[in-house]
Short mmCIF file of all heavy atoms in Angstrom, two decimals:
data_model
loop_
_atom_site.label_atom_id
_atom_site.label_comp_id
_atom_site.label_asym_id
_atom_site.label_seq_id
_atom_site.Cartn_x
_atom_site.Cartn_y
_atom_site.Cartn_z
N CYS X 187 178.30 -40.42 84.31
CA CYS X 187 179.06 -40.09 83.09
C CYS X 187 179.87 -38.82 83.27
O CYS X 187 181.02 -38.74 82.83
CB CYS X 187 178.11 -39.96 81.91
SG CYS X 187 177.37 -41.53 81.38
N LEU X 188 179.30 -37.82 83.91
CA LEU X 188 180.02 -36.57 84.13
C LEU X 188 181.21 -36.78 85.06
O LEU X 188 182.28 -36.21 84.85
CB LEU X 188 179.07 -35.51 84.71
CG LEU X 188 178.01 -34.96 83.77
CD1 LEU X 188 177.08 -34.01 84.51
CD2 LEU X 188 178.63 -34.24 82.58
N SER X 189 181.02 -37.59 86.09
CA SER X 189 182.12 -37.83 87.03
C SER X 189 183.26 -38.58 86.37
O SER X 189 184.43 -38.36 86.69
CB SER X 189 181.61 -38.60 88.25
OG SER X 189 181.16 -39.89 87.89
N VAL X 190 182.94 -39.48 85.43
CA VAL X 190 183.98 -40.21 84.69
C VAL X 190 184.63 -39.30 83.65
O VAL X 190 185.84 -39.34 83.44
CB VAL X 190 183.38 -41.46 84.01
CG1 VAL X 190 184.39 -42.11 83.08
CG2 VAL X 190 182.92 -42.45 85.07
N GLY X 191 183.83 -38.46 83.02
CA GLY X 191 184.34 -37.59 81.96
C GLY X 191 185.19 -36.44 82.46
O GLY X 191 186.04 -35.94 81.73
N ASP X 192 184.97 -36.00 83.68
CA ASP X 192 185.75 -34.90 84.24
C ASP X 192 185.95 -35.18 85.72
O ASP X 192 185.04 -35.01 86.53
CB ASP X 192 185.03 -33.56 84.04
CG ASP X 192 185.90 -32.37 84.42
OD1 ASP X 192 186.87 -32.56 85.19
OD2 ASP X 192 185.61 -31.24 83.98
N THR X 193 187.14 -35.59 86.08
CA THR X 193 187.42 -35.96 87.48
C THR X 193 187.49 -34.76 88.40
O THR X 193 187.60 -34.92 89.61
CB THR X 193 188.75 -36.74 87.56
OG1 THR X 193 189.80 -35.96 86.99
CG2 THR X 193 188.64 -38.07 86.82
N LEU X 195 185.02 -32.83 88.78
CA LEU X 195 183.64 -32.59 89.19
C LEU X 195 183.25 -33.52 90.32
O LEU X 195 183.57 -34.71 90.30
CB LEU X 195 182.69 -32.79 88.01
CG LEU X 195 182.95 -31.94 86.76
CD1 LEU X 195 181.92 -32.28 85.68
CD2 LEU X 195 182.95 -30.46 87.08
N ILE X 272 171.72 -26.66 78.08
CA ILE X 272 172.26 -27.81 77.36
C ILE X 272 171.12 -28.62 76.76
O ILE X 272 170.19 -29.00 77.47
CB ILE X 272 173.09 -28.71 78.30
CG1 ILE X 272 174.25 -27.93 78.92
CG2 ILE X 272 173.62 -29.93 77.55
CD1 ILE X 272 175.03 -28.71 79.96
N ASN X 277 176.12 -34.32 72.96
CA ASN X 277 176.85 -35.45 73.51
C ASN X 277 177.50 -35.08 74.84
O ASN X 277 177.46 -33.92 75.27
CB ASN X 277 177.88 -35.99 72.51
CG ASN X 277 178.91 -34.93 72.11
OD1 ASN X 277 179.35 -34.12 72.93
ND2 ASN X 277 179.30 -34.94 70.84
N LEU X 278 178.12 -36.06 75.47
CA LEU X 278 178.70 -35.86 76.80
C LEU X 278 179.82 -34.83 76.78
O LEU X 278 179.95 -34.03 77.71
CB LEU X 278 179.22 -37.19 77.35
CG LEU X 278 179.80 -37.16 78.77
CD1 LEU X 278 178.75 -36.74 79.78
CD2 LEU X 278 180.39 -38.52 79.12
N ASP X 279 180.63 -34.84 75.72
CA ASP X 279 181.74 -33.88 75.64
C ASP X 279 181.22 -32.45 75.64
O ASP X 279 181.83 -31.56 76.25
CB ASP X 279 182.57 -34.13 74.38
CG ASP X 279 183.37 -35.43 74.47
OD1 ASP X 279 183.61 -35.89 75.61
OD2 ASP X 279 183.76 -35.97 73.41
N VAL X 280 180.12 -32.22 74.95
CA VAL X 280 179.53 -30.87 74.92
C VAL X 280 179.03 -30.48 76.31
O VAL X 280 179.23 -29.35 76.75
CB VAL X 280 178.38 -30.81 73.89
CG1 VAL X 280 177.62 -29.49 74.01
CG2 VAL X 280 178.92 -30.99 72.48
N ALA X 281 178.38 -31.41 76.99
CA ALA X 281 177.88 -31.13 78.34
C ALA X 281 179.02 -30.77 79.28
O ALA X 281 178.93 -29.83 80.06
CB ALA X 281 177.11 -32.33 78.87
N ILE X 282 180.12 -31.52 79.20
CA ILE X 282 181.28 -31.23 80.05
C ILE X 282 181.88 -29.88 79.70
O ILE X 282 182.25 -29.09 80.58
CB ILE X 282 182.32 -32.36 79.92
CG1 ILE X 282 181.78 -33.65 80.53
CG2 ILE X 282 183.63 -31.97 80.60
CD1 ILE X 282 182.68 -34.85 80.33
N ALA X 283 181.98 -29.59 78.40
CA ALA X 283 182.51 -28.30 77.97
C ALA X 283 181.64 -27.16 78.47
O ALA X 283 182.14 -26.10 78.87
CB ALA X 283 182.62 -28.26 76.44
N ALA X 284 180.32 -27.37 78.44
CA ALA X 284 179.39 -26.34 78.93
C ALA X 284 179.60 -26.08 80.42
O ALA X 284 179.63 -24.93 80.87
CB ALA X 284 177.95 -26.77 78.66
N ILE X 285 179.74 -27.15 81.18
CA ILE X 285 179.96 -27.00 82.62
C ILE X 285 181.27 -26.27 82.89
O ILE X 285 181.35 -25.38 83.75
CB ILE X 285 179.95 -28.38 83.30
CG1 ILE X 285 178.54 -28.98 83.24
CG2 ILE X 285 180.43 -28.29 84.75
CD1 ILE X 285 178.45 -30.42 83.72
N ARG X 286 182.32 -26.61 82.16
CA ARG X 286 183.61 -25.95 82.34
C ARG X 286 183.52 -24.47 82.00
O ARG X 286 184.11 -23.63 82.69
CB ARG X 286 184.67 -26.63 81.48
CG ARG X 286 185.06 -28.03 81.97
CD ARG X 286 185.98 -28.71 80.98
NE ARG X 286 186.43 -30.01 81.48
CZ ARG X 286 187.09 -30.91 80.74
NH1 ARG X 286 187.36 -30.64 79.47
NH2 ARG X 286 187.47 -32.05 81.28
N LEU X 287 182.79 -24.15 80.93
CA LEU X 287 182.64 -22.75 80.53
C LEU X 287 181.90 -21.96 81.60
O LEU X 287 182.31 -20.85 81.98
CB LEU X 287 181.89 -22.66 79.20
CG LEU X 287 181.60 -21.25 78.69
CD1 LEU X 287 182.89 -20.48 78.44
CD2 LEU X 287 180.75 -21.30 77.41
N VAL X 288 180.80 -22.51 82.10
CA VAL X 288 180.03 -21.83 83.14
C VAL X 288 180.86 -21.69 84.41
O VAL X 288 180.84 -20.67 85.08
CB VAL X 288 178.72 -22.58 83.41
CG1 VAL X 288 178.01 -22.02 84.63
CG2 VAL X 288 177.81 -22.50 82.18
N ARG X 289 181.60 -22.74 84.75
CA ARG X 289 182.46 -22.70 85.93
C ARG X 289 183.50 -21.58 85.81
O ARG X 289 183.85 -20.93 86.80
CB ARG X 289 183.17 -24.05 86.10
CG ARG X 289 184.13 -24.11 87.28
CD ARG X 289 184.73 -25.50 87.41
NE ARG X 289 185.44 -25.90 86.20
CZ ARG X 289 185.92 -27.13 85.99
NH1 ARG X 289 185.71 -28.08 86.89
NH2 ARG X 289 186.57 -27.42 84.88
#
Side-chain angles (χ1 to χ4, degrees):
C187 291
L188 290 175
S189 64
V190 172
D192 189 339
T193 56
L195 303 180
I272 301 174
N277 59 39
L278 183 62
D279 290 338
V280 171
I282 292 174
I285 292 172
R286 290 173 176 170
L287 177 61
V288 171
R289 178 177 59 188

